[in-house]
Amino acid sequence: MPGTSGPGFPGGPMPGFPGTPGTPMPGAGGTGQAPTSPPPGFIPPKPFSLQSAGPGGAVAFVDPGAISRCLFRFTYIWLANGQQFWFFPIFVGPTSIAGFRWTGWTWAYFGIDLRLIDAFTCS
């Protein structure tokens, strides 16, 4: 993508994210490294959509506490823009999540704002 120098973030990685120079990788129960195997070979059924969950069509966002139960586990994510992919989260912040996204042949470090996630499920 033009103007992009880091995976997932225009202009480069976000300061303070794990893997950013000078920022240690988290170790809370995991290694902070990409999985050594591919994700499951299937797409799980999509759970209730969060974007349409609010009253009167109001948008609901992913709660950091809810998605934190997926840390260091294969997680399937559906974004509000229609993209969907396998993800292996290693860090959950108050408004964002970071980890490794499956590209179809390898894992790539990736981070995203929780407001962009429509639904998720982890195994």
Side-chain angles (χ1 to χ4, degrees):
M1 179 183 322
T4 303
S5 62
F9 299 106
M14 293 185 75
F17 257 48
T20 303
T23 305
M25 296 296 270
T31 65
Q33 296 180 5
T36 57
S37 65
F42 64 92
I43 296 175
K46 184 177 180 180
F48 182 71
S49 175
L50 297 171
Q51 296 296 331
S52 60
V59 176
F61 300 120
V62 170
D63 177 60
I67 202 165
S68 67
R69 69 180 180 84
C70 295
L71 280 170
F72 307 104
R73 298 168 67 185
F74 290 124
T75 303
Y76 201 81
I77 291 183
W78 291 265
L79 299 181
N81 69 4
Q83 291 184 29
Q84 52 186 294
F85 50 87
W86 281 105
F87 186 66
F88 190 82
I90 62 169
F91 169 83
V92 177
T95 61
S96 60
I97 188 168
F100 296 91
R101 178 178 176 166
W102 181 247
T103 66
W105 61 89
T106 189
W107 292 100
Y109 190 72
F110 179 79
I112 193 160
D113 191 307
L114 291 174
R115 295 176 294 179
L116 301 177
I117 298 175
D118 181 38
F120 68 92
T121 187
C122 52
S123 55

